[in-house]
Structure formats: structure tokens, C-alpha cells
Amino acid sequence: MPILEVNDITKSFGRTEVLKGIHFPLERGQALAIIGSSGSGKTTLLRCLNFLETPDTGTIKVNGETLFDAANHASLSDAEIRRSRLHFGMVFQSFNLFPQYTALQNVMLARELLAKSQPEYKANKKRIHDEIEAEARALLEKMSLSNRADNYPHQLSGGQQQRVAIARALALQPDILCFDEPTSALDPELTGEVLAVIRELADQHMTMVIVTHEMAFARDVADRVIFMDEGIIAEEGTPEEVFSDQAGERIQMFLSRFNNGGV
């Protein structure tokens, strides 16, 4: 059974159809790269998966459980939507760290908020806090940021901020880690730092959905590639299939524009 099943997702903003019947499965441990021109619907799709946007039609299943069904979405409570969102860890292109918190506090925050909602929290506050802090420090060490735990975001480079954001997304142990253009705000050297972390996660068989313009990265790291164009999936397959000379006309035109600096 696929870990993620996306069926007939559509999304419009006013009269503009941004997503048109998106359908795909994702197997556990796979890295899926989503590529395409600006405005093709990539980020909107990712935001729908993470329940930051509400699809107009369709269903989203994780581990066989229907997390979203447009037919009964209106009946879902805010608490149910928040629980569904926990299946996905989101890494944004502009980091979205809380500036008033240190790197360590940013990684701990969501876990602490969840813990405080549990009935046993008051009686075990110190033990739970210490456990959350230890796990957050371990994640920062994994990101090679142990010595930056007490730094605030403005004291970190863009690459360091993005690695904190990845640690924060991992803190809740999501089923699927989602990246929205994670290197678009970084210079080439810092881009390499972040891509190295994502490569390591792929080697560890973390299930990931990665919206990216890094074509070489998509070729080398992804197990599957989706090429989106004008709100549809125009090409889908392994990197070898999607980037082959036999791929469809739309992907060939996209790659031509990309290689010539037009995307």
C-alpha cells in the first residue's frame, strides 16, 4: 500500500484553475521530486498536501487513512485538520523561523505545544521538557548545528536557517517530509549545504516530496519525478524516464528553457 495516495485534487483561485485532477501515489521511503515552470501549480499542490490550502475536489490518504475528502471537508474540526497536518513536515523556501526564538527553541516549539495539550503534562513537565530538548539537540547535531543551538535566526546564514527548519520539520517525526523550493533563497555554496542534508535523508529512506528547480538534484536523488505544466501532471516516472530523450514534448520544452536560463 502506498504511504500517500492523492486522487483527483483540483484547486481554483477565482476563475483560475491552478490544479486540474492531480492523481499520484507515493511509496514509503521514496523521494518524489516535483518540477515545472513557475505558475504550474507545484507549490499549491504541496500546500494542499499540508492542508495550508483546501482542495476543491479529491481525496488525500496517508497509510490508507483518508485525511481529506472534499465531499465532507466542511464537517472537519480545526483539531482534526491539525492532527492530519502532523503526518506532514513542511520546509518552506524562506525558512519561516520564529525570529524571537533560538535555533533550539524553534526546533522544540511544536513538540512542546503538543505536549502541553496532553493531560499528563503538568505532572511530568520537567521530564517531558528535558526529553524534547534532548531530541531537539540531537536533530541540530544531525544538521551539524550543535554549536548554533543558542543563536537566533538573524545570527545564522541562510543555509543554517534552512537546516534548522529541516530539524524543526523532523521533530514531530512526520510520515512525509515536504520541501517547497528549499534552496531558492540561497547562494550556490549554501545551496550545496542544504542539498547535502536532503541527500542524506534520501539515503536513510525518508519519504519526501520535494518541489525543486535543481534538475541535477532531481535526477540524482529522486526515485520518482513529476513534471507539472499548467496545473496538470504532464510527465511522471523515474528520473531516467522523465529526463530521457524520449520524454514528451512539454518536458523537452521545459528543459530547453531551463537550460537556457528561461525558467
Side-chain angles (χ1 to χ4, degrees):
M1 175 189 298
I3 188 173
L4 173 65
E5 298 172 82
V6 176
N7 297 293
D8 194 32
I9 293 295
T10 65
K11 179 65 180 178
S12 295
F13 295 101
R15 297 182 178 179
T16 303
E17 289 184 281
V18 180
L19 299 176
K20 307 170 186 177
I22 301 297
H23 174 96
F24 66 89
L26 180 62
E27 299 295 331
R28 183 179 301 277
Q30 284 191 332
L32 171 68
I34 302 178
I35 63 173
S37 303
S38 297
S40 61
K42 308 184 302 297
T43 292
T44 299
L45 173 58
L46 206 63
R47 290 176 65 83
C48 285
L49 293 182
N50 202 43
F51 305 97
L52 295 173
E53 299 287 355
T54 303
D56 299 324
T57 67
T59 62
I60 299 171
K61 296 182 180 181
V62 174
N63 293 322
E65 176 188 356
T66 299
L67 299 185
F68 175 85
D69 185 345
N72 62 15
H73 174 69
S75 65
L76 293 178
S77 67
D78 289 343
E80 288 173 315
I81 293 172
R82 285 195 296 271
R83 281 196 297 272
S84 295
R85 190 173 286 150
L86 292 176
H87 290 277
F88 299 87
M90 189 74 173
V91 179
F92 299 91
Q93 63 184 35
S94 54
F95 325 135
N96 285 23
L97 299 179
F98 293 101
Q100 70 272 34
Y101 296 136
T102 65
L104 179 64
Q105 290 168 335
N106 266 280
V107 178
M108 293 176 62
L109 182 60
R111 283 285 310 278
E112 289 202 308
L113 290 175
L114 281 175
K116 287 177 181 178
S117 68
Q118 302 304 311
E120 69 273 13
Y121 177 75
K122 287 186 178 179
N124 301 282
K125 181 177 179 180
K126 185 179 186 308
R127 176 182 61 79
I128 293 173
H129 173 84
D130 290 346
E131 288 175 356
I132 292 172
E133 179 176 341
E135 291 170 8
R137 288 188 182 278
L139 283 169
L140 287 175
E141 182 177 2
K142 186 175 182 179
M143 300 293 131
S144 301
L145 291 171
S146 296
N147 62 336
R148 295 290 191 171
D150 296 326
N151 287 156
Y152 290 89
H154 74 272
Q155 297 172 310
L156 303 173
S157 70
Q160 290 168 339
Q161 290 186 65
Q162 194 61 294
R163 283 183 279 151
V164 172
I166 294 171
R168 178 180 63 182
L170 289 169
L172 292 175
Q173 300 180 338
D175 292 300
I176 302 162
L177 195 57
C178 299
F179 294 86
D180 183 16
E181 299 281 9
T183 61
S184 64
L186 305 177
D187 63 34
E189 180 179 353
L190 299 181
T191 291
E193 293 179 9
V194 173
L195 293 182
V197 170
I198 302 175
R199 286 175 190 272
E200 183 177 347
L201 292 171
D203 290 341
Q204 296 168 0
H205 304 291
M206 179 76 197
T207 308
M208 297 185 287
V209 179
I210 309 161
V211 170
T212 183
H213 276 129
E214 299 287 341
M215 295 299 108
F217 175 78
R219 288 188 185 98
D220 295 344
V221 174
D223 299 291
R224 304 285 295 176
V225 177
I226 283 176
F227 166 60
M228 293 187 64
D229 188 39
E230 298 181 352
I232 68 168
I233 294 178
E235 298 278 349
E236 180 180 3
T238 65
E240 293 78 14
E241 292 167 340
V242 172
F243 294 113
S244 74
D245 293 338
Q246 286 74 45
E249 182 178 351
R250 289 191 185 196
I251 184 68
Q252 295 294 353
M253 290 179 62
F254 165 75
L255 291 173
S256 175
R257 295 200 307 273
F258 181 87
N259 291 332
N260 290 323
V263 175

